[in-house]
């Protein structure tokens, strides 16, 4: 049912740290040809930090944990690769399709394989103006014991609404060296986080206490702010225009997030792309540190 790459197989046998990486950011989050370059670079950073990268996707109906270069190229460049959330997984298997996995689907698969740490760019969440449009990422976080390193929720979303949902689902949110909840392209979304951690070891301690307390059924969100944020005025202008453009084009369902991200990349003259790449690299590095610190 699941195929592991050679290096992930070796890491499993040796019980060495593994970092799960999502693939929707490659297929639907970053423009070609930069997407493939970034995906390879992110894997390289995880290795350099002393862990094994496990990019997760479905190829011809088979779940892959860890992709060989040819498979990564396929996810990056093939128009037939769809965006898969958890509900799509069994259907894609049955239809022998290829798919990139969202945060929700990646977390689910990583957990199936006993991988405890996962890096992404920004979480999905509650959408602005359509609060009934809530990413399946939230429910997955509520049900999956995994540490997820992100730069907060995407600033295209309803940030306070998403934070409230995380509270309802009892998902802990830890600010990495900050008490300001990051906003993806922005270092500070304007909302506070109660709990702050300074180092990977602090997260490992919390991870262990959760097992004793039996509060370990959900994810731990580690919010790692981008250092060099997007220009705020530019960000706010593009966001407003992007939301209006999505509305006008009647974009719905799983197309909304890719539409808005692409709008940013097209309108910001490379700024949003630069920040998005910074984010995913920095999150991958931190995720590797955490994977090394966690008990195995
Ligand atoms: N982070 C990024 N770029 C992305 C995503 C996250 O920097 O493209 C993806 C993740 O896969 C996340 C998805 O799960 O966006 C959210 O989509 P939706 O809002 O449709 O649940
Ligand atoms: Mn949605």
């Amino acid at each position: 049912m699941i195929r592991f790459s050679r290096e992930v197989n070796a890491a499993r046998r040796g019980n060495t740290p593994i970092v799960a990486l999502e693939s929707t950011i490659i297929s639907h989050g970053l423009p070609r040809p930069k997407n493939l370059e970034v995906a390879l670079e992110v894997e390289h950073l995880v290795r350099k930090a002393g862990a094994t990268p496990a990019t997760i996707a479905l190829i011809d109906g088979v779940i892959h944990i860890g992709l060989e270069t040819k498979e990564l190229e396929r996810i990056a460049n093939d128009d037939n690769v769809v965006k898969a959330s958890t509900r799509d997984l069994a259907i894609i298997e049955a239809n022998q399709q290829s798919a990139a996995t969202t945060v929700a689907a990646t977390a689910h698969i990583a957990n199936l394989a006993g991988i405890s740490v996962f890096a992404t760019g920004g979480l999905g969440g509650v959408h602005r103006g359509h609060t009934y449009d809530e990413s399946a990422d939230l429910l997955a976080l509520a049900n999956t014991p995994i540490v997820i390193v992100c730069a907060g929720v995407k600033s295209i979303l309803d940030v306070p609404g998403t934070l409230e949902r995380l509270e309802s689902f009892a998902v802990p949110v830890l600010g990495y060296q900050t008490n300001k909840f990051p906003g993806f392209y922005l270092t500070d979304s304007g909302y506070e986080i109660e709990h702050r951690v300074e180092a990977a070891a602090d997260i490992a301690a919390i991870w262990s206490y959760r097992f004793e307390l039996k509060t370990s059924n959900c994810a731990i969100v580690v919010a790692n702010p981008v250092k060099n944020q997007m220009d705020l005025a530019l960000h706010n202008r593009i966001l407003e225009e992007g939301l209006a453009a999505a509305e006008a084009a009647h974009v719905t369902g799983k197309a909304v997030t890719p539409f808005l991200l692409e709008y940013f990349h097209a309108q910001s003259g490379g700024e949003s792309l630069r920040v998005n790449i910074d984010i995913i690299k920095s999150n991958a590095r931190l995720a590797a540190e955490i994977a090394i610190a966690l008990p195995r």
Side-chain angles (χ1 to χ4, degrees):
M1 263 233 346
I2 295 181
R3 271 207 45 186
F4 296 97
S5 65
R6 274 165 293 182
E7 65 176 332
V8 172
N9 243 330
R12 282 163 61 84
R13 272 198 305 273
N15 194 25
T16 57
I18 301 174
V19 172
L21 299 164
E22 62 135 325
S23 47
T24 296
I25 184 169
I26 306 170
S27 64
H28 291 73
L30 298 169
R32 294 174 196 163
K34 206 76 193 166
N35 58 348
L36 178 61
E37 201 182 296
V38 173
L40 290 166
E41 168 90 22
V42 163
E43 291 197 340
H44 168 73
L45 289 172
V46 171
R47 286 185 201 107
K48 217 170 94 183
T52 300
T55 305
I56 293 178
L58 284 93
I59 311 250
D60 299 327
V62 179
I63 292 176
H64 282 59
I65 301 187
L67 299 179
E68 311 297 347
T69 305
K70 278 247 147 27
E71 297 163 342
L72 206 53
E73 280 170 9
R74 181 125 174 238
I75 294 299
N77 294 326
D78 186 342
D79 288 331
N80 295 319
V81 170
V82 297
K83 169 181 169 184
S85 193
T86 325
R87 69 171 184 171
D88 306 308
L89 292 175
I91 303 166
I92 286 161
E93 280 192 347
N95 293 340
Q96 300 180 353
Q97 276 177 289
S98 296
T101 48
T102 62
V103 166
T106 309
H108 183 82
I109 293 169
N111 182 49
L112 278 182
I115 301 173
S116 310
V117 184
F118 169 21
T120 181
L123 295 180
V126 180
H127 280 265
R128 291 182 192 238
H130 301 278
T131 51
Y132 51 84
D133 180 3
E134 218 177 74
S135 174
D137 289 0
L138 288 179
L139 201 64
L141 294 178
N143 293 313
T144 316
I146 199 160
V147 176
I148 169 145
V149 184
C150 60
V153 296
K154 290 195 257 300
S155 49
I156 56 173
L157 300 170
D158 179 338
V159 176
T162 305
L163 284 172
E164 292 292 350
R165 296 301 281 154
L166 289 171
E167 184 180 5
S168 305
F169 288 148
V171 175
V173 180
L174 306 174
Y176 183 72
Q177 300 178 347
T178 185
N179 281 100
K180 312 278 182 204
F181 190 62
F184 191 55
Y185 295 135
L186 305 176
T187 306
D188 177 1
S189 66
Y191 295 85
E192 295 282 313
I193 335 178
E194 183 178 353
H195 303 294
R196 168 183 175 132
V197 288
E198 302 303 330
D202 301 342
I203 298 160
I206 293 166
W207 176 260
S208 298
Y209 281 119
R210 284 186 357 139
F211 280 100
E212 287 171 27
L213 286 168
K214 299 202 187 325
T215 58
S216 58
N217 56 317
C218 63
I220 293 177
V221 172
V222 175
N224 181 29
V226 68
K227 296 262 164 7
N228 195 354
Q229 73 167 13
M230 212 179 139
D231 178 79
L232 185 62
L234 179 69
H235 171 274
N236 293 348
R237 178 174 66 72
I238 296 175
L239 177 56
E240 207 169 302
E241 289 171 8
L243 291 169
E247 204 70 47
H250 305 291
V251 183
T252 58
K254 67 184 185 182
V256 174
T257 298
F259 178 93
L260 290 171
L261 293 177
E262 200 188 314
Y263 193 90
F264 262 86
H265 295 326
Q267 300 296 318
S268 69
E271 259 299 277
S272 64
L273 185 57
R274 173 191 65 78
V275 175
N276 206 339
I277 294 171
D278 273 10
I279 286 170
I280 180 67
K281 285 188 188 171
S282 156
N283 292 348
R285 272 191 297 256
L286 178 56
E289 273 182 51
I290 298 168
I292 291 164
L294 285 195
R296 267 189 309 284

